[in-house]
Amino acid sequence: MDDSGATASSVLRAAHERFVTSADREPGVRALVADSWRRCAASGVRPDGGAPPPLRRTSAELDAYRRTHPLAAVLPLFRELLGSGAADDGHVFAVGDADGTLLWVEGDAGAMARAERMRFVEGAGWAERQAGTNAPGTALELGRPVQIVTGEHYSAAVHAWSCAAAPVRDPATGRVLGVVDLSGGATIATPPALAAVRGAALAAEAHLAHALLLGRDASQGEMRLSALGRDCALLEYGDRELRLSPRHSEIVLALAHADRGMTGDQLAVGLSEREIPASTLRAEMTRLRAVLGPDLLGSRPYLLLRPVRTDVDDVTRLLAAGRVREALDRYPGPLLPRSDAPVVVEQRRCLEQQLRGAVMGAGDTGLLRRWVGATWGSEDTAAWTALAHTLPGGSPQRAAAAARARALDPGTAVFPQLRPHAAVLQRSRS
C-alpha cells in the first residue's frame, strides 16, 4: 500500500474508533458507510470483532442447499470471470445467497487461509446484522453494488481487508437471488474490482434471462451425461444430443465430477498413467470445445460451464437413500467399460463396490438373481454363494447356485456348516 493508502486507512480507523467509543454518529466517513455503521450499532453487532459470523449451515446441509440454489447454474460463469483472477492475484471470490450465507468461497490458498481465520468461509452468515459492514452484506442490504475498504468495515477483525460485491437478481421477478464478492488486499480497493463484480453479476443475470427465454429455469439448464454401460457417453443439453468419442467421454466425465475444475496437469494424470504432452491435451480440448461449443467448456482451469448431472450420480443418490432395487434398475452396466483412464477406473470401481455391497447386504433373492444374471455379476463367486443361502433348502435352484459358486472357485465352502457332518460320514465309510 502506498503512503496515500496508508493515510486513508489511518483516517478510517480513527473515524471508526470515534464512532464506537463515543456518541459521535457523524463519523466523517462516506454516507453509505455511516448509515451502515448505525444499522450495525442498532443491531448489536460487536465492533471489536469478538464474535465471528455464525455458521448457518452444516457441511451436509450446505451441499444439499447449494445443489438446488438458482446461482448454482451460474457458478461456472463466476469461476470463469472471477475465479482465475482470484487465484492468480492473491484474493478470494465468494457467492452468497439472499440472506448473506456464503455458498462458495474460492481463490488463492493463502488468502483462503486468512479468510478462514475471520470465518469468511462457506456456510457462514455475512449479512450486516451478523458480520457488520462488509461488501456482500451491505450490497444485499442496499440492493446495489458496494465497495468497502479496510477501516470502513464495522468489525475491527476485517480492517485488513477490502471487498467489492454486487447483488444478482432473478430476471423474471427482480428478486435478489444472492451476491457475488471479491475480497482481498489493496487491489480490491480499486474501481476495476467493483467493475469486475458488477460485470459478473450482469453476466449471470443475462445467462439466467437467456435460460428463461428458452423456457427453462436455472435448475433446468443442466447437462445430462449418460456413461454407464456405454463406451461412448451421451451428452444431452436442451435440444442437443451429442454422442462423444471415447476420449471426450473420459474428459467430460472427469470434469463433471470436478466441482472446481481441473488444471491441465490434473486432467492429464486423470486420463492416462503415461505422460500426455501439454500440446496434445490442448489440441484435444480445442476439439472438444468445437464439439460442445464455447458456452459449455471453460479454461484456466478446465471446467464445464453448466451444471452436469450424470447417471453415476443417479445411482449413487439412490444407494444413499437405501433404494437398492431402484439403483440396480438404473445401472445398465459398468462405467465406460473399455476405458483405462485412471479417473474412470476409480469411479467405476467405487460405484461397482457400492452397488454390489448394497445388493449383497440386502439379502434379497430377486436382487441377487439379477446381479448374477448380468454380465458383470455372472462370475461373482460371493454373490452366487449369497444367492444359494437365500434359497429354500433342498430346492434345485439352491443346488444350482451352490454348484455355480464351486465351479467358479473349487475351494468355496458354500455351506460350511455341513462340512463336519460330511467328514464324519467319510470316516464311518472308511
Side-chain angles (χ1 to χ4, degrees):
M1 183 181 295
D2 59 21
D3 292 342
S4 62
T7 301
S9 294
S10 298
V11 170
L12 287 172
R13 283 195 295 271
H16 182 268
E17 181 70 16
R18 289 195 305 274
F19 182 86
V20 301
T21 59
S22 69
D24 182 3
R25 289 301 181 253
E26 298 297 333
V29 294
R30 291 187 294 154
L32 176 153
V33 175
D35 290 343
S36 175
W37 286 2
R38 294 186 192 101
R39 287 193 298 271
C40 294
S43 298
V45 179
R46 290 181 57 175
D48 60 1
L55 283 173
R56 301 191 61 197
R57 292 181 182 270
T58 65
S59 178
E61 292 171 341
L62 185 64
D63 286 343
Y65 178 52
R66 292 191 302 193
R67 283 195 296 270
T68 60
H69 196 278
L71 292 185
V74 292
L75 178 62
L77 180 63
F78 287 144
R79 286 173 173 156
E80 182 78 357
L81 296 175
L82 302 176
S84 297
D88 293 343
D89 297 339
H91 51 263
V92 301
F93 92 93
V95 180
D97 70 4
D99 292 327
T101 301
L102 301 182
L103 304 181
W104 294 276
V105 180
E106 303 176 10
D108 172 73
M112 292 276 287
R114 293 191 299 275
E116 187 174 354
R117 289 196 287 270
M118 63 178 184
R119 203 176 283 176
F120 193 81
V121 296
E122 295 172 351
W126 276 75
E128 262 195 3
R129 64 185 179 279
Q130 296 164 323
T133 307
N134 68 91
T138 304
L140 288 171
E141 186 72 28
L142 300 180
R144 62 183 177 87
V146 166
Q147 190 165 39
I148 301 295
V149 301
T150 60
E152 289 182 332
H153 289 91
Y154 188 70
S155 170
V158 197
H159 280 183
W161 292 76
S162 292
C163 48
V168 182
R169 295 182 180 274
D170 185 330
T173 65
R175 177 176 62 91
V176 172
L177 298 173
V179 64
V180 60
D181 167 80
L182 281 174
S183 291
T187 57
I188 307 301
T190 59
L194 183 59
V197 294
R198 182 186 284 116
L202 290 173
E205 291 170 356
H207 171 85
L208 295 172
H210 180 64
L212 189 64
L213 287 173
L214 292 177
R216 303 188 302 267
D217 63 25
S219 65
Q220 294 172 321
E222 66 183 11
M223 296 186 285
R224 168 76 182 173
L225 184 70
S226 300
L228 291 175
R230 297 170 173 269
D231 294 320
C232 295
L234 183 68
L235 184 67
E236 298 169 273
Y237 176 58
D239 297 330
R240 300 172 64 188
E241 188 174 286
L242 302 174
R243 186 174 182 271
L244 303 175
S245 71
R247 177 57 95 191
H248 287 170
S249 299
E250 294 167 345
I251 293 172
V252 173
L253 181 70
L255 296 179
H257 291 112
D259 184 51
R260 299 186 178 184
M262 302 178 76
T263 65
D265 289 343
Q266 290 171 331
L267 189 53
V269 170
L271 293 176
S272 177
E273 293 182 348
R274 297 183 296 274
E275 184 176 355
I276 298 177
S279 58
T280 301
L281 181 62
R282 283 196 298 270
E284 195 66 67
M285 298 306 289
T286 298
R287 287 190 286 270
L288 178 58
R289 183 174 283 105
V291 172
L292 300 182
D295 60 328
L296 295 186
L297 182 62
S299 56
R300 297 189 63 202
Y302 293 119
L303 77 170
L304 297 170
L305 300 178
R306 300 288 185 275
V308 186
R309 179 179 166 189
T310 72
D311 49 1
V312 175
D313 298 330
D314 293 341
V315 174
T316 301
R317 290 188 189 105
L318 289 168
L319 289 175
R323 297 156 64 181
V324 183
R325 188 177 302 279
E326 293 173 70
L328 194 54
D329 289 341
R330 301 291 289 272
Y331 185 77
L335 177 66
L336 298 178
R338 294 188 182 181
S339 172
D340 59 2
V343 67
V344 176
V345 171
E346 178 62 17
Q347 289 188 41
R348 181 196 302 145
R349 183 188 64 81
C350 289
L351 184 62
E352 285 181 346
Q353 286 183 344
Q354 290 179 56
L355 184 58
R356 179 179 181 272
V359 169
M360 298 279 284
D364 182 284
T365 301
L367 292 178
L368 287 165
R369 283 187 187 279
R370 289 173 58 189
W371 183 262
V372 299
T375 303
W376 57 85
S378 61
E379 297 187 0
D380 189 333
T381 303
W384 280 107
T385 302
L387 175 60
H389 278 277
T390 66
L391 293 165
S395 72
Q397 294 87 357
R398 186 182 198 191
R404 176 60 175 159
R406 284 191 291 267
L408 291 169
D409 182 358
T412 298
V414 181
F415 302 114
Q417 70 275 16
L418 300 180
R419 297 183 69 186
H421 301 285
V424 171
L425 179 60
Q426 181 65 32
R427 286 195 300 271
S428 66
R429 285 178 178 174
S430 61

